[in-house]
Amino acid sequence: MKKVKTWMKISDVLSDFQDKINTSLGRETSSEWNKRVLKEYCVYLRGLSVQGLPEILNEIQDTWNSGLYQDFVWAFGERKMESRPLTFEELAHNKLSTLAATNLPSTGFNTLMSGKTDLNLFRAMGPMIEAIYHLNSGRAFNWEDMLNLAFSDLETRLIFALNRFDEVKEVPEPTAEFFQKLKETSMTSEQTKNLEEKIGLVLIHIEGEIFGMGFENSVEDYWPTMSLFIQFLAACSAVQHNREEIVNEDIIRAYRTFFKLIKTDVTQYKADPELVRDMDEDNPDYEDVIVCKNCGSYYKLEPGESVDDFESCHCGGELKQVHDERT
């Protein structure tokens, strides 16, 4: 995190300069402001009658006091690969990812504003799990790590079992129907939006306490990814309870899942040997593939072929061509 630490030094210099001015004028410093606002948000949240919220606030306090939250955020910024990335064709072996890519809409930069469950929310799982994996391994990802991250059943466990991800014996098979239900979920209740926002602000101000003011600007992708991840888990919770509306209990369950996850050694979740049997670190293949929106089956296109040459999948599902932009 050399770049991050450089930005932090610059931020600290600017913050110190501003604090000297504020002190000379009898105003509160940035650190004093951060402590005050953090306390106000915590008092506000503890005054709400939301089942499970006190336990979440206790989890936040415990992970902060233990240093775990600090280590996790550092791991998010430090994660890196020492092997090549997986190709689209290789990732097409992951049925969960192909079903998500072919059934969830891509809202783009409007994801956080729309409140809709889209592909960006699903993709936030990857970086968060990578950070926890790095937190446990303490090194750059090698080829085996890349396969474990992409082809273990951890993501499926999170989606279907949430805070019981480590307890289930049989993980349900992902289906197109599940993702079609998922894309209909949204967070429209102002009460629920307020709950999610305030818990998030508590974490932002804790980061200020740990790393100094301006830290959230130094790791620009951490906070949006974290927020998307929580919203995605909450949406999965809503679907599991046959609801399209994300409610307070879904936010609580999402945070329960998150804090349990960062306390778990996720390196124990290994890639399915059958899925990765023919994958070779030294033999990347960046061909185009077509995937089925219904069952997740894939087919590598031969030179000159396109999705237009095929009517439908063997299951009757619609086909979509996926192109690897790295070619």
Side-chain angles (χ1 to χ4, degrees), residues 304-321:
E305 287 185 328
S306 75
V307 68
D308 297 331
D309 298 323
F310 303 84
E311 291 185 2
S312 65
C313 177
H314 60 80
C315 72
E318 182 183 352
L319 297 171
K320 178 179 179 179
Q321 185 168 341

Side-chain angles (χ1 to χ4, degrees), residues 6 8 21 108 128 167 177 225 312:
T6 300
M8 286 179 67
I21 295 175
M128 298 304 283
E167 301 172 25
E177 181 184 11
T225 305
S312 65

Side-chain angles (χ1 to χ4, degrees), residues 24-307:
S24 68
L25 296 174
R27 299 170 182 167
E28 64 182 356
T29 64
S30 57
S31 178
E32 290 168 342
W33 171 83
N34 191 67
K35 282 183 169 61
R36 175 175 61 80
V37 175
L38 173 58
K39 182 177 180 180
E40 289 173 357
Y41 283 135
C42 289
V43 170
Y44 170 79
L45 286 169
R46 289 197 181 275
L48 297 179
S49 297
V50 177
Q51 186 174 1
L53 180 56
E55 288 79 8
I56 296 303
L57 295 173
N58 290 341
E59 284 279 12
I60 292 173
Q61 188 70 47
D62 290 345
T63 54
W64 176 17
N65 292 342
S66 68
L68 178 60
Y69 191 72
Q70 174 180 335
D71 292 342
F72 167 69
V73 178
W74 277 130
F76 183 93
E78 291 176 336
R79 71 194 198 284
K80 59 183 178 180
M81 298 178 291
E82 61 181 19
S83 66
R84 70 170 177 84
L86 295 166
T87 67
F88 273 111
E89 182 189 3
E90 290 165 340
L91 289 172
H93 290 265
N94 184 324
K95 184 175 180 179
L96 190 70
S97 294
T98 52
L99 286 173
T102 51
N103 287 282
L104 291 178
S106 182
T107 310
F109 289 111
N110 294 322
T111 294
L112 287 171
M113 300 292 293
S114 69
K116 282 285 188 180
T117 304
D118 66 5
L119 191 57
N120 287 335
L121 267 66
F122 171 82
R123 286 175 173 165
M125 260 200 313
M128 298 304 283
I129 293 174
E130 288 174 8
I132 299 166
Y133 196 102
H134 179 64
L135 178 64
N136 287 280
S137 69
R139 52 173 169 74
F141 303 141
N142 59 33
W143 180 243
E144 182 181 352
D145 296 327
M146 298 295 292
L147 295 179
N148 288 337
L149 285 163
F151 298 107
S152 77
D153 64 355
L154 178 57
E155 289 187 345
T156 307
R157 286 173 172 271
L158 289 170
I159 285 175
F160 289 103
L162 290 127
N163 58 305
R164 295 184 59 250
F165 68 88
D166 59 338
E167 301 172 25
V168 291
K169 300 299 182 183
E170 295 185 9
V171 184
E173 185 75 12
T175 63
E177 181 184 11
F178 175 84
F179 283 97
Q180 288 160 7
K181 289 181 179 179
L182 196 61
K183 74 178 181 180
E184 298 302 322
T185 62
S186 61
M187 190 189 308
T188 58
S189 165
E190 291 301 321
Q191 183 187 56
T192 301
K193 287 181 180 179
N194 178 65
L195 176 65
E196 191 273 337
E197 176 188 294
K198 293 300 190 296
I199 297 176
L201 287 171
V202 166
L203 289 173
I204 285 179
H205 286 285
I206 284 176
E207 288 160 26
E209 288 293 289
I210 295 173
F211 302 106
M213 300 306 296
F215 174 76
E216 66 275 9
N217 297 320
S218 303
V219 188
E220 294 179 355
D221 57 342
Y222 170 71
W223 183 250
T225 305
M226 165 66 178
S227 183
L228 292 174
F229 181 56
I230 292 299
Q231 288 188 34
F232 179 72
L233 294 176
C236 292
S237 175
V239 172
Q240 298 295 346
H241 289 84
N242 297 312
R243 284 186 274 97
E244 293 183 0
E245 171 73 8
I246 296 172
V247 298
N248 288 350
E249 70 178 78
D250 299 318
I251 300 298
I252 297 301
R253 195 176 184 196
Y255 273 106
R256 278 199 185 115
T257 306
F258 169 65
F259 285 112
K260 185 173 186 177
L261 187 62
I262 64 174
K263 294 178 179 178
T264 300
D265 181 1
V266 299
T267 61
Q268 67 184 290
Y269 295 95
K270 304 296 184 182
D272 183 342
E274 289 299 313
L275 290 177
V276 302
R277 181 179 52 195
D278 299 322
M279 294 185 188
D280 184 354
E281 181 179 10
D282 299 318
N283 185 31
D285 189 348
Y286 295 101
E287 299 290 341
D288 288 1
V289 298
I290 53 175
V291 294
C292 175
K293 292 184 178 182
N294 182 58
C295 70
S297 298
Y298 72 96
Y299 167 75
K300 183 175 76 172
L301 293 172
E302 297 295 332
E305 287 185 328
S306 75
V307 68

Side-chain angles (χ1 to χ4, degrees), residues 2-12 217-218:
K2 184 176 181 180
K3 182 179 179 182
V4 172
K5 291 176 181 178
T6 300
W7 272 106
M8 286 179 67
K9 288 179 181 178
I10 296 172
S11 176
D12 287 344
N217 297 320
S218 303

